[in-house]
Amino acid sequence: MIELELTVPDLTKVRFTSDAVWETVASLTLINHRQHFQLHRHLRPRVPQDPAFDLDLLLELTRGDHFVPDLLGPSPSAVPGHPLDQFARIASADEQVLESDLRTLRELDPASRSARMGTRELAERTAEAMAAYWLAVLEPLWGRIEAITGADIAHRSVGLASDGLERALDELDPEVTWTGGGLALAIGPGRVRQPSAGRGLWLLPLVFRGRGVMLADNASPPVIAYSARGAGQLWERPVESIVGGLDALIGRSRAAILARLSIPLTTTALADALLLSPGTVSQHLSVLVSAGLCSSRRDGKRVLYARTPRAELLIDIDAAQAR
């Protein structure tokens, strides 16, 4: 059990964000322990059998049950950049972080490749391998990963505004409990109290997190990574259209748009998927929003559209009648 103290200054700096490095590390951890996570059983087959990048190094660094190098858990940013830019941060990691990681690696497995590297070699090789792994394995999935984590953050932000911070923190994961003066995390043996430093807290949804939460208390501010809501939607194949009579009621194109919105998407993504012009999709979305079948939210410079509960109900009824 870890008790994370949160003072008033901390509570004013609680923020949700996403991070490509953390998500990529989480996916590698699942590959190492894939027998425990059937939800993401489709991930390992996507990894090339003879990769052109140093997969062995990445798996070596992420195979531990209780230790992941601090190199692989950089402090998140409120506005994450492109994943490749985020991986570049690894190559320029702080020398003290690298020295600390290498001391631990040499204690845990002195014969490992990483333990025999120097600090800069470890940072540069890891950054290069992470970027190449992401391009080969995760980039084709990245649009859906971003949609899922973005939807999680939007949902919890609404809950934060309506129900307050205490409930938002309490509902992150069954392993997380609000104590009145902070958070209790059911992690590890014994009881450890982590005092506040007034730095706030990052909350990081991960599609590949698997079960439970992870606390990085050495980061500034500390980071709690948790499993994103709807992570299983990553592997759902979008249907081309909705079966039944709903397409006759609202039109084939609008029904196809609703079918694609199992995860939030932009107008451009919908247009590409349905081979329609962005202008046409935009007009259909306006009608669907007016009818209460779609909602929209801004995510940086993008506008994401999602099905509303009313649309979900109509789709369920339509599918039932078509059986």
Side-chain angles (χ1 to χ4, degrees):
M1 176 73 71
I2 298 177
E3 295 181 351
L4 182 64
E5 181 187 14
L6 296 176
T7 61
V8 172
D10 290 308
L11 296 176
T12 62
K13 302 172 192 173
V14 175
R15 291 167 289 179
F16 289 92
T17 191
S18 59
D19 190 279
V21 176
W22 283 72
E23 189 72 78
T24 302
V25 170
S27 75
L28 288 162
T29 301
L30 287 186
I31 291 173
N32 269 314
H33 304 281
R34 60 186 183 275
Q35 68 274 19
H36 300 304
F37 301 101
Q38 285 302 305
L39 177 64
H40 296 299
R41 62 187 180 279
H42 301 298
L43 176 63
R44 186 62 179 89
R46 301 183 69 90
V47 179
Q49 292 186 351
D50 186 20
F53 54 89
D54 197 344
L55 178 63
D56 290 341
L57 174 62
L58 298 180
L59 294 179
E60 179 181 289
L61 292 173
T62 57
R63 71 187 176 198
D65 290 328
H66 304 292
F67 172 73
V68 175
D70 292 339
L71 171 68
L72 299 181
S75 293
S77 170
V79 184
H82 189 278
L84 293 180
D85 294 331
Q86 295 183 54
F87 298 132
R89 292 181 298 167
I90 297 175
S92 57
D94 183 86
E95 193 72 17
Q96 290 184 339
V97 170
L98 295 169
E99 290 174 354
S100 175
D101 282 342
L102 280 172
R103 280 196 298 271
T104 304
L105 289 167
R106 287 163 183 164
E107 290 174 4
L108 295 174
D109 190 357
S112 64
R113 288 179 55 215
S114 56
R116 299 195 300 269
M117 292 181 183
T119 54
R120 298 326 311 173
E121 181 185 10
L122 176 64
E124 291 169 5
R125 287 198 176 188
T126 302
E128 180 182 1
M130 288 274 284
Y133 166 83
W134 181 85
L135 286 168
V137 180
L138 297 186
E139 185 184 28
L141 302 169
W142 202 247
R144 295 184 69 83
I145 291 172
E146 285 188 314
I148 292 168
T149 55
D152 179 279
I153 292 172
H155 171 82
R156 297 185 191 279
S157 297
V158 170
L160 181 65
S162 61
D163 301 323
L165 181 60
E166 177 180 338
R167 183 167 179 179
L169 293 174
D170 202 36
E171 292 182 348
L172 280 180
D173 186 273
E175 289 188 352
V176 179
T177 306
W178 174 255
T179 63
L183 294 174
L185 290 78
I187 301 175
R191 195 181 191 93
V192 178
R193 183 170 180 81
Q194 181 70 31
S196 165
R199 297 170 296 173
L201 178 68
W202 285 114
L203 300 174
L204 194 63
L206 299 176
V207 170
F208 293 116
R209 172 56 202 156
R211 297 186 298 269
V213 298
M214 180 173 65
L215 171 67
D217 54 8
N218 58 323
S220 182
V223 180
I224 293 179
Y226 62 92
S227 180
R229 298 172 71 253
Q233 293 178 336
L234 177 64
W235 307 110
E236 290 182 1
R237 294 183 61 185
V239 296
E240 297 301 323
S241 63
I242 295 173
V243 297
L246 189 56
D247 58 344
L249 177 64
I250 66 174
R252 181 172 298 177
S253 293
R254 291 170 192 166
I257 289 172
L258 286 183
R260 288 278 173 172
L261 291 179
S262 58
I263 59 171
L265 295 172
T266 63
T267 301
T268 302
L270 285 166
D272 290 343
L274 299 173
L275 302 179
L276 297 172
S277 72
T280 298
V281 171
S282 181
Q283 291 175 4
H284 288 313
L285 286 170
S286 295
V287 173
L288 292 170
V289 169
S290 298
L293 299 178
C294 282
S295 62
S296 64
R297 63 176 176 85
R298 184 165 290 279
D299 179 28
K301 296 181 179 180
R302 307 181 305 168
V303 176
L304 293 170
Y305 292 87
R307 293 195 300 236
T308 63
R310 179 183 296 180
E312 299 286 357
L313 179 60
L314 284 175
I315 290 170
D316 289 344
I317 294 173
D318 192 58
Q321 291 177 341
R323 293 192 186 106

